[in-house]
Amino acid sequence: MNAPDNERGIWSSKLGFIMAGAGSAVGLGNIWRFPTIAGQNGGAAFVFVYLLSVILICLAVMIAELALGRHAQRNPVGVYKTLAPGTAWKYLGILGVLTGWGIASFYSVVAGWTLGYVFKTAAGAFINLGPDEIATVFSDFTTNPVLSIGCHAIFMGLTMLILYGGVKGGIERWSKILMPLLLVILVLLVVRSVTLPGAGKGLAFYLKPNWSALTGKSVVAAMGQALFSLSLGMGTMITYGSYLSRKDNLISSAGWVASLDTGIAILAGFAIMPAIFAFDLDPAAGAGLIFVVLPNMFNKIFLGNLFGTGFFVLLSVAAVTSLISIVEVPAAYFIDEWKMSRKKAVTIAGGGAFLAGIPAALSGNFLDWMNVIFGQYSLIIGSLGVAIFVGWQWGASKANAEIMQGNPKFSASTAYAFAIRFMAPVSITALLICLILFPDAF
Ligand code: PHE
């Protein structure tokens, strides 16, 4: 039953985990999805509900995933097999592994576009183009099968190269380099954006809550976005938690990852909202916001090409540190359960996700559909499963005992038991029901 430890690995320090965990959490979800959804749902009012979802529901699930992973030192399937042997819980782990493939497949396609746009913007492909032509460039690019599959292949290839390096030498090493880089680029973009003439309107929109734009759907969108953004529900945090040392404090580790993720999502709004209002663009433009609306703006500002290139580098960096964490879930499963070498496991996990992504690279509708199935339903079902498993099957007291390792002074075990047994499962069930009722909420 023992995992081949030489193929598994462990973070070199708590900081190493925080960088890798934040690298996983901070992704396209923060820089692309968060500002878009906030724009559609009343700016600051949405941010407020989002914060409540993170603090009241998601943190408990994240701590549960980390505790499970560190306790069993295994991938999601292995965790359920070890802690509830002979039961159907292992299928929850299998769902996680399949979700890893499902999300990786379309995530890598969109990430491939961001990489393609780094080169397009750097080469000045949008200079002198009008809004319609810029929209055509995007649709030509994404419907060109060679470009779309090619960029997807390159992005997945880069991800696999990092994963071949292992937990410490690959994931942690690159997260420690790329996360500070991401923060520097983001801060530069925020400074550029808030100093644009006319940025004030965007700041007011983003900072002054418009409660009337906040509907039941917005609450659903906020919770769903929070689960996706914090990488919960498919076992990423179980897997990353399984590389944590028993000396590390799970509560503060989770707190750091959640704060960095939330802080960076909010900062991304500061980079995007003022720019949108300064140029009279539509904050609710939806998915095309990043690839169609923003290049128009970069055309109009001083050194726009440079800032535009920086923006797409930022997106690519955010995406690669997330994609490695998504592909690591099936990889860890193969290492632990099938006793494969890391090299073979990563090749199968990444290669499989590449093949599964080809239909999404060829059809935008298919991509949207994969996002609904895996990025929404699967993660919600997975998060609900984790909360029920930890709260009711494994037991909140065992989870609390795991939390005490590395944090002997932990004094909120009653509150944690309440959060994981009642608050999280009830609200995630409500979320699932609402999503079925309003399927287009996010
Ligand atoms: N959290 C990542 C993002 O915001 C996406 C992700 C989802 C990563 C699920 C891992 C697991 O882009």
Side-chain angles (χ1 to χ4, degrees):
M1 284 284 277
N2 278 336
D5 280 338
N6 51 337
E7 295 293 333
R8 278 200 117 253
I10 186 158
W11 308 115
S12 67
S13 63
K14 184 175 160 192
L15 178 75
F17 162 75
I18 292 173
M19 286 293 128
S24 166
V26 175
L28 296 172
N30 301 57
I31 294 155
W32 182 19
R33 243 162 71 152
F34 182 86
T36 310
I37 305 181
Q40 291 162 339
N41 291 281
F46 174 85
V47 176
F48 177 75
V49 179
Y50 180 85
L51 283 178
L52 284 186
S53 326
V54 171
I55 296 166
L56 295 178
I57 302 150
C58 297
L59 256 181
V61 178
M62 182 179 288
I63 293 164
E65 285 205 17
L66 293 178
L68 282 176
R70 190 178 66 176
H71 185 82
Q73 308 269 301
R74 304 283 290 273
N75 70 93
V77 178
V79 161
Y80 297 113
K81 277 205 207 153
T82 313
L83 302 182
T87 67
W89 281 103
K90 70 165 184 275
Y91 294 107
L92 185 60
I94 293 175
L95 176 70
V97 172
L98 293 176
T99 306
W101 260 314
I103 297 184
S105 72
F106 71 84
Y107 203 90
S108 169
V109 171
V110 180
W113 300 344
T114 69
L115 194 62
Y117 265 55
V118 169
F119 294 99
K120 271 191 181 301
T121 319
F126 302 107
I127 292 175
N128 296 330
L129 296 191
D132 292 344
E133 291 160 310
I134 289 181
T136 313
V137 171
F138 180 60
S139 61
D140 286 352
F141 180 65
T142 53
T143 52
N144 177 329
V146 176
L147 278 178
S148 201
I149 297 178
C151 289
H152 164 49
I154 293 172
F155 211 92
M156 189 58 82
L158 285 174
T159 303
M160 288 163 69
L161 279 181
I162 296 179
L163 287 175
Y164 286 135
V167 172
K168 223 183 286 180
I171 306 176
E172 177 178 330
R173 178 163 152 233
W174 282 99
S175 302
K176 277 181 170 164
I177 298 171
L178 295 173
M179 290 310 285
L181 174 71
L182 177 145
L183 204 59
V184 170
I185 301 178
L186 184 58
V187 168
L188 287 175
L189 287 166
V190 170
V191 171
R192 170 70 275 204
S193 189
V194 299
T195 52
L196 287 169
K201 272 181 290 172
L203 285 175
F205 172 80
Y206 196 43
L207 293 174
K208 254 201 243 127
N210 172 7
W211 296 106
S212 63
L214 195 74
T215 59
K217 275 188 183 182
S218 316
V219 178
V220 174
M223 272 178 70
Q225 168 65 13
L227 288 178
F228 181 86
S229 189
L230 291 170
S231 306
L232 299 175
M234 57 162 270
T236 301
M237 290 299 161
I238 293 182
T239 309
Y240 273 21
S242 76
Y243 308 136
L244 265 170
S245 142
R246 302 221 188 272
K247 291 195 297 273
D248 288 330
N249 182 332
L250 293 182
I251 303 282
S252 61
S253 302
W256 269 107
V257 171
S259 314
L260 285 167
D261 185 60
T262 308
I264 288 176
I266 293 176
L267 260 185
F270 277 107
I272 288 169
M273 289 303 161
I276 289 185
F277 279 81
F279 290 98
D280 275 331
L281 304 167
D282 178 12
L289 181 75
I290 296 297
F291 295 103
V292 179
V293 174
L294 292 183
N296 281 297
M297 192 254 311
F298 294 130
N299 262 346
K300 293 187 193 124
I301 62 177
F302 178 59
L303 294 182
N305 235 20
L306 188 69
F307 283 104
T309 309
F311 179 76
F312 288 109
V313 171
L314 168 77
L315 274 171
S316 305
V317 165
V320 78
T321 51
S322 295
L323 191 59
I324 54 180
S325 76
I326 302 172
V327 178
E328 177 67 9
V329 172
Y333 164 72
F334 287 128
I335 292 173
D336 291 346
E337 306 303 311
W338 297 53
K339 312 277 175 265
M340 281 183 194
S341 66
R342 170 162 279 278
K343 205 166 166 208
K344 198 165 166 195
V346 169
T347 306
I348 296 179
F354 167 71
L355 293 177
I358 290 178
L362 295 174
S363 146
N365 283 338
F366 191 84
L367 193 154
D368 291 343
W369 184 78
M370 292 290 278
N371 179 31
V372 170
I373 306 276
F374 292 106
Q376 298 180 5
Y377 283 99
S378 245
L379 293 187
I380 296 172
I381 293 168
S383 303
L384 180 60
V386 164
I388 295 176
F389 183 82
V390 170
W392 299 91
Q393 166 81 28
W394 189 41
S397 52
K398 295 225 181 77
N400 274 316
E402 184 61 39
I403 292 171
M404 302 277 253
Q405 301 234 19
N407 184 4
K409 293 202 199 84
F410 180 61
S411 61
S413 30
T414 317
Y416 184 66
F418 178 73
I420 202 66
R421 288 169 71 103
F422 300 102
M423 229 150 61
V426 170
S427 19
I428 300 171
T429 306
L431 170 64
L432 189 58
I433 294 172
C434 291
L435 192 66
I436 295 169
L437 298 180
F438 314 117
D440 58 347
F442 74 111

